[in-house]
Amino acid sequence: MPPPIEVAGRRIKRYHVTADPAGIAPDVEAAAYAMLPMLLPQPDGTPPATFVVLHRGGDDGAYLNAYSWVWDNVLHFRGASAGQPVLGCPDRDPTHFITPDFPWIGCVWELPPILHERDAWVRHMLVPDAPDLDAYLADSLPEGTTGDRS
């Protein structure tokens, strides 16, 4: 898993999903992360933490799902897509991201981090006497595919 980054004052955990053993191409990754400021909510007093799932599909599609913690214990979602005309993308370029207005939160291959992140948020931010954002950021799914997790 790539290390966390900071964007617009939010600390962001990153998950990459792809069947390609070489991983996600650097140009696709750079284009996706350039979209992050448009996908993040305004600060509301909740510790500024987000986790993202960058998914490179088996076709031309690339998807960036940003899940941000807001209102203490609520998960805010905003996503971006590239190279997928079905979602309104203007071309098949996997670096040309747009923000479609669909109420979808992720495909089956993108969802496994949500359960882990929910449990990590409770474990490190809600249950302790004092929230520990650094411990939350260090608590990630192990490396590997998301398809075989149950």
Side-chain angles (χ1 to χ4, degrees), residues 1 13-18 51-55 65 67 69 75 77 105-121 123 136 139-150:
M1 185 174 88
K13 294 168 75 169
R14 300 182 294 159
Y15 293 95
H16 287 180
V17 176
T18 182
F51 63 95
V52 297
V53 178
L54 177 57
H55 181 190
N65 298 340
Y67 305 96
W69 292 105
L75 201 52
F77 170 78
I105 64 166
C107 83
V108 68
W109 309 116
E110 299 162 353
L111 296 178
I114 292 175
L115 177 60
H116 175 85
E117 293 300 319
R118 177 263 178 213
D119 291 346
W121 190 257
R123 189 169 35 254
Y136 167 74
D139 187 341
S140 297
L141 276 172
E143 289 285 337
T145 65
T146 60
D148 58 357
R149 302 205 193 281
S150 55

Side-chain angles (χ1 to χ4, degrees), residues 42-108:
Q42 294 297 313
D44 70 352
T46 302
T50 295
F51 63 95
V52 297
V53 178
L54 177 57
H55 181 190
R56 184 69 165 97
D59 56 11
D60 294 328
Y63 315 93
L64 180 65
N65 298 340
Y67 305 96
S68 299
W69 292 105
V70 297
W71 205 35
D72 189 42
N73 61 9
V74 173
L75 201 52
H76 170 279
F77 170 78
R78 188 98 196 268
S81 302
Q84 184 52 267
V86 171
L87 297 178
C89 297
D91 52 44
R92 293 193 171 277
D93 180 351
T95 66
H96 188 190
F97 281 85
I98 64 163
T99 54
D101 190 22
F102 285 95
W104 305 342
I105 64 166
C107 83
V108 68

